[in-house]
C-alpha cells in the first residue's frame, strides 16, 4: 500500500508516465503500473489518453481535492485502520515535502520564498466554529484556483495544507477531561 499511496501523492502533481513515476519512487515500472491500476479501480486516478503514446500510459488524479470525515469510518474497524494509516502517511508525506522544500528553497526567487511558508494560529474555539473556518478556508482555496489561468507562465503548482489539531495532543493534560467534554 505504501507504493500505492506514494503514487497517489505524486499524481497530485503530474510528472509523466508510469516509467517516470517508477523512477521517482525507486521501484520498477511493472509494480508502478499495478498500483496505478489499483488506484484507478477505486476512482483515485484516471488515465489521461490525450498524453499517452503507444505503450506509455499517463495518469492523473481523478479529483482536485481529497478529503473525508474521520467519523465516516467509526463503524468499520478495517476501514478505520486503513484511513488512520492513510492519514499517518499523509503527515509523513507533508514532513518529507517540507524537508525537500527547505533543502532547495535557495533556488527560488525571493518573491516565491516569501509566498511559500508556514504559520500557525492558536485559539480556543467550539467545534461548529472550527468546522466553519475549515469550510471558509477551502472556499478561498477553490476560488483562487478557479480564478487563476492554468496557463499563466508565472504560475506554479503548489500544495496547500490545512490541519487543525487539538493542543492536548501536543501537550496532554495531567488528567484527561471528563467524557462529556470530549467530542
Amino acid at each position: 500500500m505504501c507504493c500505492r499511496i506514494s503514487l497517489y501523492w505524486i499524481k497530485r502533481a503530474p510528472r509523466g508516465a508510469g516509467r517516470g513515476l517508477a523512477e521517482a519512487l525507486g521501484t520498477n515500472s511493472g509494480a508502478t503500473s499495478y498500483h496505478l491500476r489499483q488506484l484507478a479501480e477505486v476512482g483515485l486516478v484516471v488515465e489521461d489518453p490525450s498524453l499517452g503514446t503507444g505503450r506509455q500510459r499517463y495518469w492523473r488524479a481523478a479529483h482536485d481535492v481529497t478529503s473525508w470525515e474521520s467519523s465516516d469510518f467509526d463503524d468499520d474497524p478495517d476501514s478505520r485502520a486503513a484511513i488512520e494509516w492513510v492519514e499517518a502517511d499523509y503527515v509523513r508525506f507533508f514532513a518529507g515535502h517540507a524537508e525537500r522544500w527547505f533543502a532547495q528553497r535557495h533556488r527560488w526567487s525571493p518573491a516565491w520564498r516569501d509566498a511559500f511558508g508556514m504559520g500557525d494560529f492558536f485559539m480556543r474555539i467550539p467545534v461548529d466554529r472550527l468546522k466553519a473556518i475549515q469550510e471558509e478556508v477551502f472556499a478561498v482555496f477553490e476560488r483562487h484556483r478557479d480564478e487563476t489561468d492554468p496557463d499563466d507562465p508565472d504560475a506554479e503548482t503548489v500544495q496547500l495544507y490545512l490541519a487543525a489539531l487539538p493542543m492536548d495532543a501536543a501537550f496532554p493534560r495531567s488528567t484527561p477531561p471528563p467524557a462529556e467534554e470530549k467530542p
Side-chain angles (χ1 to χ4, degrees):
M1 186 190 270
C2 184
C3 177
R4 195 171 302 160
I5 294 299
S6 296
L7 277 169
Y8 181 63
W9 299 138
I10 287 174
K11 290 316 301 167
R12 305 300 289 180
R15 294 179 183 238
R19 186 176 302 136
L21 295 170
E23 289 173 11
L25 289 173
T27 186
N28 66 61
S29 59
T32 302
S33 294
Y34 168 79
H35 289 293
L36 284 165
R37 288 191 306 274
Q38 297 299 305
L39 288 168
E41 278 186 30
V42 296
L44 292 175
V45 299
V46 294
E47 190 173 351
D48 190 343
S50 69
L51 297 176
T53 57
R55 292 181 47 191
Q56 291 280 16
R57 296 173 75 183
Y58 284 75
W59 300 83
R60 62 178 173 77
H63 311 284
D64 290 332
V65 176
T66 303
S67 66
W68 55 83
E69 300 293 337
S70 292
S71 61
D72 290 346
F73 307 98
D74 285 350
D75 297 333
D76 182 347
D78 290 338
S79 294
R80 188 173 56 246
I83 204 63
E84 287 171 358
W85 189 93
V86 167
E87 289 171 333
D89 190 69
Y90 185 78
V91 171
R92 285 187 293 272
F93 179 84
F94 168 73
H97 187 179
E99 290 170 358
R100 286 185 297 280
W101 160 245
F102 297 148
Q104 66 169 318
R105 64 180 156 199
H106 64 279
R107 294 188 229 157
W108 289 72
S109 73
W112 276 109
R113 287 194 318 266
D114 291 346
F116 290 130
M118 297 169 47
D120 56 12
F121 196 95
F122 297 84
M123 65 177 74
R124 185 166 174 80
I125 189 168
V127 69
D128 59 329
R129 293 189 74 48
L130 181 58
K131 192 67 176 164
I133 289 170
Q134 182 184 55
E135 291 169 3
E136 290 174 31
V137 169
F138 276 117
V140 169
F141 291 171
E142 290 171 358
R143 179 173 52 84
H144 283 277
R145 179 201 60 208
D146 295 345
E147 292 175 357
T148 299
D149 177 2
D151 297 322
D152 181 341
D154 295 324
E156 292 287 342
T157 300
V158 302
Q159 184 171 16
L160 302 170
Y161 295 90
L162 176 64
L165 305 170
M167 286 305 297
D168 280 355
F171 304 104
R173 300 177 190 187
S174 56
T175 58
E180 63 271 3
E181 284 187 38
K182 292 183 180 179

